[in-house]
Each structure stands twice: as C-alpha cells, then as structure tokens.
Amino acid sequence: MAWRWFTAIVGGYGFAVAAAMLTARILPAPDTMARIEVTGWPMLLSFLVYAGIGLWALHEIRLRRVGAVVWGGGIVMAGLIWWLGTRA
C-alpha cells in the first residue's frame, strides 16, 4: 500500500510535470509573448492531470499497471523532452 501511495503522490507529480513540459514544448509559439501563454496553459492543466493520475493510481486494482503507466509514462515524456531540446 505504501508503494501505491508513493506512486500516486511522487510519480503522479513527475507525470504531471513531464506532461506539462512536453505539451508546452510541442505547442507552437511564434514570439516571446506567445511562449508565455503556451507555457501557462499546460501548467494550469497539470493540476488536473496530477489529481486525475493520483485518484486513478489509488483506484486501480493492479499495481503493475499503475507503476507502468505513471513511472513509465513519466520516463518516456522526460526522454522526449530531452530529445526535443530547448527552444531557440
């Protein structure tokens, strides 16, 4: 049960942050002011993603599925962020 809570809290946070960063990186931003808005909206939506992942992680019966989705998804998104690099 402790691993499920740890995955829901810490893994859910990492998943939400990685999802917000990846979304902000993928969305088009023609200038500096638009880049601020492109970064802001995914950060606001990340709170909903965090809550949703946390609730799902505590509700799902199979702990392996929870770990695979939360930790695996976060690692894959972090790898994509690293692979895409920063904006110039």
Side-chain angles (χ1 to χ4, degrees), residues 42-61:
M43 288 305 292
L44 289 173
L45 293 175
S46 70
F47 292 105
L48 295 175
V49 171
Y50 181 46
I53 286 290
L55 290 173
W56 173 77
L58 295 173
H59 177 71
E60 176 62 40
I61 295 170

Side-chain angles (χ1 to χ4, degrees), residues 20 23-25 27-45 87:
T23 305
R25 177 62 182 88
L27 289 174
D31 59 354
T32 304
M33 290 306 289
R35 191 174 302 157
I36 294 169
E37 292 180 12
V38 165
T39 304
W41 280 107
M43 288 305 292
L44 289 173
L45 293 175
R87 282 194 190 170

Side-chain angles (χ1 to χ4, degrees), residues 1 3-5 7-8 52-70:
M1 193 67 171
W3 182 253
R4 184 177 299 270
W5 278 95
T7 299
I53 286 290
L55 290 173
W56 173 77
L58 295 173
H59 177 71
E60 176 62 40
I61 295 170
R62 295 176 205 85
L63 184 57
R64 286 184 192 224
R65 181 181 293 177
V66 171
V69 170
V70 174

